[in-house]
Amino acid sequence: MADDKTSAKLILNGEEYDLPIQSPTLGPDVIDIRKLYGQAGVFTYDPGFTSTASCDSTITFIDGEKGELLHRGYPIEQLAEKSHYLEVCYLLLYGELPSAAQLEDFEDRVTKHTMLHEQLHFLFRGFRRDAPPMAIMVGVVGALSAFYHDSTDVNDPWQREVASVRMIAKMPTIAAMAYKYTIGQPFIYPRNELDYASNFLRMCFAVPSEDYEVNPILSRAMDRIFTLHADHEQNASTSTVRLASSSGANPFACIAAGIACLWGPAHGGANQACLEMLREIGTVDRIPEYIARAKDKNDPFRLMGFGHRVYKNFDPRATVMKQSADEVLDLMGIDDNPTLQVAKELERQALDDPYFAEKKLFPNVDFYSGIILEAMGFPTSMFTAIFAVSRTVGWISQWKEMIADPQLKIGRPRQLYVGASLRDYVDIENR
Ligand code: CMC
């Protein structure tokens, strides 16, 4: 690096290149290599983006070494304790905590957009009854672009605003309908007098034949799960949304792309995979066997809900989620949950093991969330769909930020080509 810290020096084939350094408000400095190819004719190589910033952003900051997660500067622990999901949505979308009037207006706008176009019911009915809810979510959210034409023009700020509110509002309805469809129960319409989390629980668990009272303990826990998953800066699904949107594609299609990315077990699918793993382990005496498998390089098995690309100390969301799991099970009078016992003992044994300590592997947000969701009555197949509901505001906020950025460019990574060099076509009879 050059001494003045305004630029870094690259020496390549005897030539010197000065690369500007940009300083963030928080986090490490960034070497700006945008002109590198034009000046030096080389690319940089960083599969998995382990050292590459793909954008600038003002929304979320993570310090992986400290185990810190801030939304617009506010620590996630404070937001989880003192705020609630729709207020966090406002904060992520608009940059500041709302006044009482602003919050009331925002909640009103979200509440008034929770219904789905009735024709969409036929789209649901085209799926097999045993379709995974995430498969339905990808399809239905993508299909919203065929129903809400008046909010697909990404160049119109008003349409972007309407699309944002629509997606935050409709995502719980879509997830709940996906669930109802797979269990063969009638769809339950949203109720405007309920808050966001209570409405979601009601749409999932009510039936038309009897009244349904939302349990406030479960509603609070649901809201906290939504809050803890609301945004996580440039993770794989958010980067997918940004890349898809960089071509100018409509927001519904881009969020469907984010949902598809979230589905994988290395990302949002980990909550389902984690609970399935805990159930498979079953009893604490089998834990050493699974820890040994996770450490065995010849076994593809990993401890699900463990490890994170960015957190190398602890995941602050996991700490809150663990407390929540204890609270919810306690308040529900479940004090002998075998899955929770296996989870706690697995965490203890893994944290004592040098393999996990050396690789800085800690429980992540998904380690305990499945236990709460299961206690609420959700099947594992709904876990990732619930993550998608929560993360929608993060995707939308990052999308809005990107579209409004005058520096917006289509995302187009380069490659290190290692295939065949130029060769002549060989006719089929001569191969
Ligand atoms: N169990 C056992 N070993 C692990 C695990 C694990 N869960 N995670 C990482 N490792 C090992 C890995 O084998 C590698 O070892 P080595 O250096 O000897 O090759 C080392 O730790 C680094 O792993 P990596 O795969 O290079 O790290 P990454 O940053 O690319 O992957 C991760 C991060 C989250 C994909 C990974 O830790 C993982 O697969 N965890 C399990 C899935 C999971 O819980 N995902 C949810 C993430 S949090 C919610 C979300 O953001 O969606």
Side-chain angles (χ1 to χ4, degrees), residues 142-418:
L144 294 180
S145 41
F147 286 82
Y148 300 100
H149 302 154
D150 58 345
S151 54
T152 52
D153 178 358
V154 298
N155 297 314
D156 178 343
W158 185 83
Q159 293 201 28
R160 294 205 294 268
E161 178 63 25
V162 175
S164 305
V165 171
R166 275 186 172 146
M167 257 178 293
I168 294 165
K170 293 184 197 308
M171 206 59 90
T173 316
I174 295 170
M177 286 170 74
Y179 173 54
K180 286 298 198 191
Y181 186 75
T182 58
I183 57 170
Q185 288 188 2
F187 297 137
I188 301 291
Y189 287 89
R191 298 281 322 174
N192 286 358
E193 75 277 12
L194 294 177
D195 64 72
Y196 194 84
S198 303
N199 192 32
F200 177 61
L201 289 173
R202 186 178 171 279
M203 287 190 290
C204 288
F205 297 123
V207 287
S209 46
E210 60 187 38
D211 291 337
Y212 178 82
E213 284 254 332
V214 183
N215 179 331
I217 298 165
L218 300 190
S219 170
R220 174 74 191 128
M222 189 76 252
D223 189 86
R224 193 170 270 187
I225 287 177
F226 286 152
T227 302
L228 289 175
H229 288 87
D231 189 44
H232 215 225
E233 51 118 306
Q234 309 313 319
N235 58 85
S237 57
T238 301
S239 298
T240 300
V241 171
R242 280 189 179 255
L243 192 58
S245 320
S246 74
S247 71
N250 78 71
F252 304 107
C254 296
I255 299 300
I259 297 172
C261 178
L262 186 77
W263 200 349
H267 192 6
N271 51 14
Q272 172 171 355
C274 179
L275 197 86
E276 285 165 357
M277 174 193 77
L278 294 172
R279 279 196 199 137
E280 188 186 306
I281 297 175
T283 48
V284 290
D285 57 300
R286 299 189 62 205
I287 291 172
E289 179 196 330
Y290 283 81
I291 290 195
R293 284 188 60 197
K295 289 158 51 176
D296 181 356
K297 283 283 151 237
N298 298 316
D299 188 331
F301 174 77
R302 284 185 167 201
L303 279 193
M304 300 315 289
F306 250 78
H308 199 273
R309 167 64 62 78
V310 184
Y311 293 119
K312 299 300 172 199
N313 188 334
F314 66 95
D315 178 343
R317 303 167 302 171
T319 314
V320 182
M321 202 63 93
K322 186 179 180 181
Q323 280 165 9
S324 261
D326 277 333
E327 271 166 38
V328 170
L329 298 191
D330 189 36
L331 290 165
M332 290 176 78
I334 308 173
D335 51 11
D336 58 347
N337 181 288
T339 322
L340 184 63
Q341 282 165 10
V342 170
K344 284 188 170 171
E345 183 55 20
L346 178 61
E347 178 185 2
R348 196 193 62 73
Q349 290 190 24
L351 293 181
D352 267 358
D353 191 302
Y355 172 94
F356 294 91
E358 277 157 24
K359 295 187 188 304
K360 300 186 172 175
L361 300 170
F362 298 88
N364 59 50
V365 69
D366 290 327
F367 195 67
Y368 285 102
S369 63
I371 292 170
I372 309 178
L373 292 171
E374 189 191 40
M376 286 175 169
F378 286 107
T380 49
S381 61
M382 274 300 286
F383 291 5
T384 315
I386 289 168
F387 192 157
V389 172
S390 329
R391 184 55 58 84
T392 297
V393 67
W395 293 328
I396 292 284
S397 304
Q398 304 263 353
W399 165 74
K400 278 182 84 186
E401 180 180 68
M402 189 186 88
I403 298 287
D405 183 350
Q407 294 192 68
L408 172 63
K409 263 181 169 328
I410 186 165
R412 201 327 184 167
R414 300 295 196 157
Q415 64 170 6
L416 170 67
Y417 176 69
V418 292

